[in-house]
Amino acid sequence: MPYQAFDSAAAIAFAKQRGFLPAEADVHCREIGDGNLNLVFHLSTSDKSLIIKQALPYARCVGESWPLSLERARIEAQVLQAHGKVAADWVVKVLDFDLEQYAMVEEDLSHLQLLRKRLINSEKVAAMGQNLADYLAQSLYAYSDFELDPKAKKALVSQFINPDLCLITEDLFFTDPYREHERNDIFPASLATAIAFREDDALLAQVAELKARFLSCPQTLLHGDVHAGSVFSGPGELKVIDAEFGFFGPVGFDVGSVIGNLLLAWCRHHTLGNSDYAAWLESELLSFWQRFESRFSVLLQGSKDVALANARYQQRFVAKVLDDTIGYAGCELIRRTLGLAHVADLTSLEEGPRAAAEQKALSLGRSLILASEQRCDIALIPTLLKTFA
Amino acid sequence: MPYQAFDSAAAIAFAKQRGFLPAEADVHCREIGDGNLNLVFHLSTSDKSLIIKQALPYARCVGESWPLSLERARIEAQVLQAHGKVAADWVVKVLDFDLEQYAMVEEDLSHLQLLRKRLINSEKVAAMGQNLADYLAQSLYAYSDFELDPKAKKALVSQFINPDLCLITEDLFFTDPYREHERNDIFPASLATAIAFREDDALLAQVAELKARFLSCPQTLLHGDVHAGSVFSGPGELKVIDAEFGFFGPVGFDVGSVIGNLLLAWCRHHTLGNSDYAAWLESELLSFWQRFESRFSVLLQGSKDVALANARYQQRFVAKVLDDTIGYAGCELIRRTLGLAHVADLTSLEEGPRAAAEQKALSLGRSLILASEQRCDIALIPTLLKTFA
């Protein structure tokens, strides 16, 4: 059957045809996609539920004028499977994938809640930093040059070349926010800073460096979009979803996305005077990095490549991951404030607090990007946060 | 017709069938392959000559026990075509390529001589550094992130994934020479240094760094093997051949190969007391880098990627190319002395001078690799060469 965008009836028929639901079952189906790119159906019967996610041939948030390859659905399913193989505890289970309909059947996670919602609601999600660190350490190590046979790695690099979705990141992270562009969405109070950034040569130079590394540094198979809206959490559980931006890129990009999103939440809560919660975010952020660094470093010691097994080199590698992490976290703060895709942490604030929180995000973003040119220490972050006290 | 390794008769039949020679022509054919991997036939009639190069499904220098994908022949033809498109003056012309026989028809360059021979014979090849610099600046810029559309670049990265031949470099450049390995070929007088290298932690750490960048830094489409035996030269002409190691890697790898090979020649002539020729080599090496740096920098100013158009970033990019260049030149010196593939510059020397020249190559190689950890200046090379005075 040629590709066709599902409606509820088609999603139900698909699930039945693939054997996930009995032919005669009475199925309740809702379209729940609130993301920017896809259709997402929640299907349930009296004793079972599941998710069907289908790619549309264009960006849902913009419309048919922004065509996107359906191939991204294959990539998403395969990234989730690849990460799931080595970090199963923290990755949504992919039950099936159909190459004709670009549709994937996933386990239903609706007993969990998006991490961004919990962060906005000041919930202290238990072991959040630790779970995210373990997920990233295990999955990012497993597809690195340390672990993979060089031929197998090259085959995977090719399999995960993801031109359409990488282009979105290349444009929306690294290009648009630093120039005038119709895709930008700038809150009036942030306009002066946005304009100043366009002439900030040191900032532009380091953003170029980070973009170049995004383009040409296939260290490992990234999730590619680990923001707080790609993570579900609940008591004792944390699951990552939405991997269509996956590709081989620099380790620090995923790690920096996590830190950037925790800092966005921090900007919100600090501005609202929720100092206890802001302090919790800061401490989770630090323990996230420390746990990632120590787990990843231990994994590196098992390097299968004898030339890369050198401990002194591995320390330098991890140090460079931190530099990248700091830089990409800074890019996330800026692109979520000036670019096309905003976050509710900031947009749900009243005008006054929003202006103040955005100023913090922009200032922090700039400082982190500039700092990432040199060797970084994670202590930089608490130091910067103190300047807003 | 399924793939079959050619003999002379088959090579002639192939050239006639593809229309390069008339069916009734009286053709003289010699197999002239002196390389490590392929069959090379020189075909001539009374008024025409051409070269047919065919890949063998194994490494010729080792035998059938080292199988190699025939795919490398496609890659070689396509790299030469890609570089020829943007740097035609310096690249052998590919007239035809047959995917079934993995055979390529090239223009005959036998009026020229391999650069390595000229260097061994103390010939001051006019404009050598300048021609090599222009070839590399134009071809390495043209396939970089500065120039290519990101989607086109990703398609090319995939097209030029070259697992078999990259593995040879990964092993023979970066792994074997620094450990005990049956593929190594160590001149007795160099054994003590070889053994010391295996415990030299700072050296091993930086070799790991350079290997990691070789594995995961697809900045541009490299030739992949620009040594003095891959370059033909004659009055007013310089042509690069043998691109089967081509793939997307760091700019400095090709540039460093050139410098490494000039330094190998320098080690020979300095040891033989040919101080005038050694001084010429040194000055060509410096003008090679300076010309490359200035041409490449000018090309960068035309960056099609607006985010990478920042001049401050571009200066840093070129500075990092020099660091890589210095490091990879050092690797070339060491792997040509301790590894599987030696060069006549050293092996054709008598025992005493060979020992002395190899010591210089190893010491220089180590110093260059160690220096490449930090920001380098090209003046480092004259400084190091003076220590052998």
Side-chain angles (χ1 to χ4, degrees):
Chain A
M1 207 170 69
Y3 170 85
Q4 201 166 2
F6 290 165
D7 55 14
S8 287
I12 294 171
F14 178 80
K16 289 183 171 179
Q17 179 221 323
R18 308 287 287 193
F20 288 95
L21 298 171
E24 68 291 354
D26 185 19
V27 184
H28 181 69
C29 179
R30 290 177 297 143
E31 208 284 305
I32 57 167
D34 62 349
N36 297 322
L37 305 178
N38 307 290
L39 294 172
V40 184
F41 298 92
H42 180 269
L43 280 68
S44 57
T45 64
S46 53
D47 65 348
K48 199 173 175 180
S49 64
L50 48 82
I51 297 293
I52 292 178
K53 180 169 177 181
Q54 187 188 37
L56 287 167
Y58 52 84
R60 187 175 181 174
C61 61
V62 175
E64 304 196 9
S65 65
W66 190 339
L68 282 179
S69 152
L70 292 166
E71 260 287 280
R72 70 184 193 277
R74 171 190 65 78
I75 288 179
E76 168 163 24
Q78 292 179 346
V79 172
L80 291 173
Q81 285 167 337
H83 280 191
K85 209 153 76 174
V86 296
D89 288 353
W90 305 285
V91 180
V92 63
K93 233 180 243 126
V94 176
L95 306 171
D96 191 17
F97 174 64
D98 180 60
L99 259 173
E100 273 184 350
Q101 297 304 322
Y102 293 98
M104 173 166 73
V105 183
E106 292 177 321
E107 66 176 319
D108 178 21
L109 297 176
S110 49
H111 61 293
L112 306 177
Q113 204 177 30
L114 284 181
L115 181 59
R116 191 174 310 283
K117 276 200 187 147
R118 295 198 189 271
L119 296 178
I120 287 174
N121 294 333
S122 309
E123 290 181 44
K124 295 184 179 171
V125 178
M128 174 186 67
Q130 181 179 319
N131 279 313
L132 285 166
D134 289 352
Y135 159 61
L136 287 178
Q138 289 187 208
S139 51
L140 301 185
Y141 173 75
Y143 297 94
S144 72
D145 291 314
F146 297 95
E147 177 66 15
L148 289 179
D149 167 80
K151 291 192 190 183
K153 162 102 184 302
K154 289 175 182 72
L156 288 171
V157 166
S158 190
Q159 176 183 337
F160 288 105
I161 280 182
N162 194 354
D164 280 19
L165 288 252
C166 281
L167 186 63
I168 293 179
T169 307
E170 287 149 16
D171 287 344
L172 299 191
F173 256 75
F174 303 110
T175 305
D176 299 355
Y178 304 94
R179 33 200 62 80
E180 207 175 342
H181 198 289
E182 57 181 9
R183 277 186 300 227
N184 289 332
D185 174 10
I186 303 175
F187 190 60
S190 294
L191 186 60
T193 306
I195 290 171
F197 281 0
R198 296 174 196 160
E199 307 294 327
D200 188 334
D201 196 47
L203 180 66
L204 297 179
Q206 189 55 17
V207 170
E209 173 76 34
L210 291 160
K211 181 175 186 180
R213 284 176 73 73
F214 183 87
L215 286 163
S216 287
C217 186
Q219 289 176 334
T220 192
L221 179 59
L222 301 183
H223 176 283
D225 194 27
V226 206
H227 66 86
S230 300
V231 178
F232 272 111
S233 87
E237 260 190 296
L238 182 145
K239 298 278 185 190
V240 170
I241 60 166
D242 279 1
E244 68 252 68
F245 284 85
F247 76 111
F248 273 77
V251 171
F253 184 78
D254 271 0
V255 184
S257 296
V258 168
I259 290 188
N261 276 272
L262 296 180
L263 289 173
L264 286 162
W266 186 92
C267 291
R268 172 193 181 83
H269 291 288
H270 185 263
T271 302
L272 292 176
N274 301 335
S275 56
D276 174 63
Y277 192 69
W280 177 80
L281 284 167
E282 181 181 339
S283 102
E284 278 297 300
L285 182 160
L286 294 175
S287 64
F288 162 73
W289 168 257
Q290 279 143 6
R291 173 102 173 185
F292 173 81
E293 182 184 40
S294 83
R295 297 293 286 243
F296 196 73
S297 299
V298 167
L299 289 167
L300 290 182
Q301 291 169 20
S303 173
K304 303 245 164 80
D305 184 313
V306 291
L308 304 185
N310 179 278
R312 189 194 295 223
Y313 164 66
Q314 291 179 355
Q315 281 163 21
R316 275 189 228 152
F317 184 91
V318 174
K320 182 71 186 152
V321 168
L322 178 57
D323 304 342
D324 288 349
T325 293
I326 295 282
Y328 289 121
C331 293
E332 175 72 356
L333 284 161
I334 290 176
R335 74 108 176 185
R336 292 294 193 181
T337 312
L338 304 180
L340 170 70
H342 284 242
V343 289
D345 312 60
L346 303 181
T347 56
S348 66
L349 294 169
E350 304 283 326
E351 203 163 316
R354 179 171 173 182
E358 288 202 0
Q359 273 312 304
K360 286 172 200 169
L362 292 173
S363 156
L364 204 46
R366 178 176 181 277
S367 299
L368 294 174
I369 291 170
L370 290 176
S372 72
E373 193 200 330
Q374 309 285 333
R375 191 100 304 169
C376 292
D377 188 302
I378 194 71
L380 167 71
I381 292 180
T383 305
L384 288 171
L385 297 186
K386 268 191 206 78
T387 64
F388 300 110
Chain B
M1 205 170 70
Y3 170 84
Q4 200 166 4
F6 289 166
D7 55 16
S8 287
I12 294 172
F14 177 79
K16 289 183 172 181
Q17 180 221 321
R18 308 287 287 192
F20 288 94
L21 298 172
E24 68 291 354
D26 185 19
V27 185
H28 181 69
C29 179
R30 289 178 298 144
E31 208 284 305
I32 56 166
D34 62 350
N36 297 322
L37 304 179
N38 306 291
L39 294 173
V40 185
F41 299 92
H42 180 270
L43 280 68
S44 58
T45 63
S46 53
D47 65 345
K48 200 173 176 181
S49 65
L50 49 81
I51 297 292
I52 293 178
K53 181 171 178 180
Q54 188 188 36
L56 287 168
Y58 51 84
R60 187 175 181 175
C61 63
V62 175
E64 304 197 10
S65 65
W66 190 340
L68 283 179
S69 152
L70 291 167
E71 260 286 281
R72 70 184 192 275
R74 171 189 66 77
I75 288 179
E76 168 164 23
Q78 292 179 346
V79 172
L80 291 173
Q81 286 167 338
H83 281 191
K85 208 153 77 175
V86 297
D89 289 351
W90 305 285
V91 180
V92 64
K93 231 179 245 125
V94 176
L95 306 172
D96 192 17
F97 174 64
D98 180 60
L99 259 172
E100 272 185 350
Q101 298 304 323
Y102 293 98
M104 172 167 76
V105 183
E106 291 178 321
E107 65 174 320
D108 178 20
L109 296 176
S110 49
H111 62 293
L112 306 177
Q113 203 176 33
L114 284 180
L115 181 59
R116 190 175 310 283
K117 275 198 189 148
R118 296 197 190 273
L119 296 178
I120 287 174
N121 294 334
S122 309
E123 289 181 45
K124 294 182 180 172
V125 178
M128 174 186 69
Q130 182 179 317
N131 279 312
L132 286 165
D134 290 352
Y135 159 61
L136 287 179
Q138 289 187 209
S139 51
L140 301 185
Y141 173 75
Y143 297 94
S144 72
D145 290 315
F146 298 94
E147 178 64 17
L148 289 179
D149 166 82
K151 291 190 189 184
K153 162 102 184 302
K154 288 175 183 71
L156 287 172
V157 166
S158 190
Q159 177 183 335
F160 288 105
I161 279 181
N162 193 355
D164 280 19
L165 288 252
C166 281
L167 186 62
I168 293 179
T169 306
E170 287 149 17
D171 287 345
L172 300 192
F173 256 76
F174 303 110
T175 306
D176 299 355
Y178 304 94
R179 34 201 61 80
E180 207 176 341
H181 199 290
E182 56 180 10
R183 277 187 301 228
N184 288 332
D185 174 11
I186 303 175
F187 189 60
S190 295
L191 186 60
T193 307
I195 291 170
F197 281 0
R198 294 174 197 161
E199 306 295 326
D200 188 334
D201 196 47
L203 180 66
L204 298 179
Q206 189 55 17
V207 170
E209 173 76 34
L210 291 160
K211 181 175 186 180
R213 284 177 73 74
F214 183 87
L215 286 163
S216 287
C217 186
Q219 290 176 334
T220 192
L221 179 59
L222 301 182
H223 176 283
D225 194 28
V226 205
H227 66 85
S230 300
V231 178
F232 272 112
S233 87
E237 260 190 295
L238 183 146
K239 298 279 184 189
V240 170
I241 60 166
D242 280 1
E244 68 251 66
F245 284 85
F247 75 111
F248 273 77
V251 172
F253 184 77
D254 272 0
V255 184
S257 296
V258 168
I259 290 188
N261 277 270
L262 296 180
L263 290 173
L264 286 162
W266 186 93
C267 291
R268 172 193 181 83
H269 290 288
H270 185 263
T271 301
L272 293 175
N274 301 335
S275 56
D276 174 64
Y277 193 69
W280 177 81
L281 284 167
E282 181 180 339
S283 102
E284 279 296 299
L285 182 160
L286 293 175
S287 64
F288 162 74
W289 169 258
Q290 280 144 5
R291 173 103 173 184
F292 173 81
E293 182 184 41
S294 83
R295 298 291 287 244
F296 195 74
S297 298
V298 167
L299 289 167
L300 290 181
Q301 291 169 20
S303 173
K304 303 245 165 78
D305 183 313
V306 293
L308 304 185
N310 179 277
R312 189 194 296 222
Y313 163 67
Q314 292 179 355
Q315 281 163 21
R316 274 189 229 152
F317 184 91
V318 174
K320 182 70 186 153
V321 168
L322 178 57
D323 305 342
D324 288 350
T325 293
I326 296 282
Y328 289 121
C331 293
E332 175 72 357
L333 284 161
I334 290 176
R335 75 108 177 184
R336 292 294 194 181
T337 312
L338 304 180
L340 170 69
H342 284 244
V343 288
D345 312 59
L346 303 182
T347 56
S348 65
L349 293 169
E350 304 282 326
E351 202 162 316
R354 178 171 174 182
E358 289 201 359
Q359 273 312 303
K360 287 173 198 168
L362 293 172
S363 156
L364 203 48
R366 177 176 181 277
S367 298
L368 294 174
I369 291 170
L370 290 175
S372 72
E373 194 200 330
Q374 309 285 333
R375 191 101 305 170
C376 292
D377 188 302
I378 194 69
L380 167 72
I381 292 182
T383 304
L384 288 172
L385 297 186
K386 268 191 204 78
T387 63
F388 300 111

